[in-house]
Amino acid sequence: DSTYYSNFIKNSSETLVVKPTPHLINLRKHKEKSSIKLDDCLKFFTMNETLSANDTWYCPSCKAHKQADKKLDLWKLPEILVVHLKRFQHSRFTREKLNAFVDYPIKDLDLSKYTLNEEEKSVRYDLYAIANHMGGLLGGHYTAYCQNKDDKRWYHFNDERVELLSDLKKLQSMSAYVLFYRKSPKFNDPKPNGNPKKGKKPKDSNGEEDL
């Protein structure tokens, strides 16, 4: 079913929101002990897709429904990028939790090869928070890893308990559910526009220029 292999990414900026529903990549064929790279997910997000016979597009020129091709690309990248991994699979006959390990970068997430806008190709993203889900369909528990913006250290949030995360390898696990990225400042410095034009100094109430 082609709906299982539709796209997977969504984020908080209107520039990348896909309606009516977020596009999700299916992790069904990846066993729990296998892994898939986030870059593979992004390839699915931008791949060319032929609509099925049950999902045809109405052509306003020929006045008929066609099995058109659909292609999504990135143009304007947001300040905050939220990546939602599809962990719950519902089909006509089965319901299951997907525990495939997704290998995602902690620093310098590069979307340049999926971005058409040349001005956006230098953008990189750093991970700053992760929402985790443990459990299955009938019950589970949520925790979070978050990086303090001041001391740059990671903390583990588990209900009322907050602990310093000493083992950063735990940031990547099969429990990762939602990834929160922000633009890396070292790749997003504003381009210099030259020296600003010198204007006249403002005048005081006596008509003389302020020093």
Side-chain angles (χ1 to χ4, degrees), residues 150-184:
D150 296 321
D151 63 22
K152 304 303 180 183
R153 294 193 291 181
W154 284 86
Y155 294 85
H156 181 208
F157 293 78
N158 187 359
D159 290 337
E160 71 278 4
R161 294 167 50 194
V162 180
E163 300 174 333
L164 179 67
L165 184 65
S166 57
D167 185 5
L168 297 185
K169 292 182 180 179
K170 293 183 178 180
L171 292 176
Q172 294 175 305
S173 72
M174 291 187 295
S175 300
Y177 189 26
V178 185
L179 311 176
F180 297 84
Y181 286 91
R182 65 162 59 95
K183 283 184 177 180
S184 175

Side-chain angles (χ1 to χ4, degrees), residues 89-126:
Q89 177 66 58
H90 300 271
S91 70
R92 189 174 181 180
F93 304 104
T94 62
R95 301 172 64 187
E96 60 183 322
K97 168 76 180 295
L98 306 175
N99 291 312
F101 178 82
V102 179
D103 185 7
Y104 47 85
I106 306 301
K107 288 187 173 294
D108 298 341
L109 172 63
D110 183 2
L111 301 178
S112 60
K113 58 184 175 181
Y114 308 109
T115 307
L116 297 181
N117 188 350
E118 292 294 330
E119 295 182 356
E120 298 284 325
K121 287 187 178 293
S122 64
V123 173
R124 300 293 183 272
Y125 286 94
D126 293 338

Side-chain angles (χ1 to χ4, degrees), residues 193-211:
N193 296 320
N195 295 327
K197 294 182 180 180
K198 294 182 178 180
K200 293 183 178 181
K201 295 181 179 179
K203 294 182 179 181
D204 60 17
S205 57
N206 297 321
E208 298 178 355
E209 290 183 353
D210 290 335
L211 299 179

